[in-house]
Amino acid sequence: MNKDHFFQYLSGKTVTFCGIGRSHMPLMELFQKKGALVSARDKRSFEELGENGEKLKALGIKLILGEGYLDHLEENLIFRTPGMRYTLPELAEARKRGSAVTSEMEVFFELCPCKIYGVTGSDGKTTTTTIIAEFLKAQGKQVHLGGNIGKPLLPEIESIQETDCAVVELSSFQLISMRESPNVAVVTNLTPNHLDMHKDMQEYIDAKKNIFLHQNAFSRTVLNADNAITADFAPETRGDTWLFSRRENLRRGVWCDGEKIYVNGEEALAVRDIKLPGWHIVEDYMAAIGAVWGEVSPENIRKVAAEFGGVEHRTELVREFEGVKYYNDSIASSPTRTISGTLSLFDKKIILICGGYDKQIPYDPLGPVICDRVKTLVVMGSTGPKIEEAVRNAPGYQEGSPKILRVKNMEEAVDAARSEAQAGDVVSLSPASAAFDLYPNFEVRGRHFKELVNELR
């Protein structure tokens, strides 16, 4: 189905959106303009919806709210929010009654007329996605960047041309029900994550595999050869398969010897020429280069590497105050991300603010790294006790090294870090946990941290 036929189909159809958030808000207004009879469903009350509720009420969109918001799902077309399990009994019953149950990203893949680059993984998704977009822009392409990175793309579908490029970050929640794959699929790495939402690790892995399982022989798949799970995906791919590695010299793919990045044996980029620090950033560049090699010139790749300053909330320097540098790494919502990010960057022990919502993932690997690279650990949130236990049980732990401080919220965490810090120190928020215990998402958490740091006097 093309986009014109789809919007013709919508006219007069009943459409409901389960979950009122950033991916659904612009869609509801668009679908209403196209003649659909739109309703919105959410477990929250009207008061809890705030500005979104007021806007939908002003548009005349029917609101179905509260505990029974999924009752009587009888609309022609049902959109689920990515965080909603597609196997919910209410959705299964709706399918039996003949309703079409889908998502914003599934429909976008169905209708998108241009080449799609998709990126998934446990860590590094957003930076890799953004680097790919920057590469393509440098080559003169019209780029549409969105997906899990924070911007829905379906509302833009009417303006997307065949000669454009769509670069999409994809979460396991988006991928789990998808039956189409992007033209170029990148898997940065896979480690235990989101086990509070997936029934087990295998379901999480299987969801991620949908990024390449539905590709054809003309597609490209880029996999991390240094990650055991993603390396094992290679025999299942259908198209042109590229690997990237910091451990082995690859005949076909992207390899880094510690100083330079090579593509199929050809020198592409010197590590020292990448503006952003950290080996996790080097790996993000390797994945992105594998995605665009042959379409973006080496000159434009080097230009982006030298100029790209990074993405907000990713080891972002907030401020230097009283000789102390404060970094915001709120995106680090898993232990592996904190280990490969903040804890790999500095040549001295730092003050680390850690903890948040519990996604039921193991924290044992974090303990030894904190013991080695942190002088003061400030823990908070549901995972605070788990992180402290991992540190105390680590082989290298000695009482007071690191010093461990327990706090209740971000205000107390920033105050504690400031009290501990001396000129020359580094303080970093790198929670190794999701934000949902105290914040709606990692962006709100990161911005609150930045506000508090910028208010220090």
Side-chain angles (χ1 to χ4, degrees), residues 313 326-331 352-356 378-381 406-418 427-431 433-435 437-439 441-453 455-456:
H313 309 299
Y326 290 81
Y327 287 85
N328 166 30
D329 193 31
S330 183
I331 185 61
L352 178 68
I353 299 174
C354 221
V378 182
V379 293
M380 63 180 188
R406 304 176 199 90
V407 298
K408 295 178 181 177
N409 52 42
M410 192 67 77
E411 288 86 352
E412 289 187 8
V414 172
D415 285 345
R418 181 188 181 179
V427 172
S428 183
L429 168 69
S430 189
S433 314
D437 58 337
L438 296 174
Y439 301 96
N441 53 53
F442 73 85
E443 290 118 324
V444 175
R445 172 173 65 188
R447 286 176 191 138
H448 187 211
F449 172 74
K450 292 199 293 183
E451 287 171 8
L452 293 169
V453 170
E455 287 170 1
L456 293 176

Side-chain angles (χ1 to χ4, degrees), residues 17 20 24-32 38-40 56 61:
F17 291 84
I20 298 172
H24 284 170
M25 285 296 292
L27 272 184
M28 287 188 264
E29 189 170 359
L30 173 63
F31 280 24
Q32 188 180 57
V38 179
S39 61
L56 294 175
I61 290 174

Side-chain angles (χ1 to χ4, degrees), residues 369-382:
V369 186
I370 287 178
C371 288
D372 187 46
R373 300 177 187 176
V374 173
K375 72 172 190 176
T376 301
L377 173 66
V378 182
V379 293
M380 63 180 188
S382 302

Side-chain angles (χ1 to χ4, degrees), residues 249-274:
N249 187 341
L250 300 169
R251 288 185 178 181
R252 181 161 181 75
V254 187
W255 175 61
C256 178
D257 65 1
E259 295 184 359
K260 295 177 181 178
I261 295 173
Y262 301 86
V263 182
N264 300 335
E266 176 185 346
E267 183 182 329
L269 177 65
V271 171
R272 67 174 180 275
D273 292 335
I274 298 175

Side-chain angles (χ1 to χ4, degrees), residues 33-79:
K33 288 177 181 176
K34 296 297 182 181
L37 305 173
V38 179
S39 61
R41 298 168 178 262
D42 202 286
K43 193 173 184 178
R44 293 170 291 177
S45 67
F46 184 78
E47 290 73 24
E48 289 172 323
L49 289 176
E51 186 179 325
N52 284 347
E54 295 289 351
K55 184 174 182 179
L56 294 175
K57 182 179 178 181
L59 289 170
I61 290 174
K62 180 182 178 182
L63 296 173
I64 303 162
L65 307 174
E67 289 296 326
Y69 76 108
L70 293 180
D71 293 346
H72 310 296
L73 272 173
E74 298 169 352
E75 289 83 359
N76 302 123
L77 186 56
I78 299 167
F79 277 78

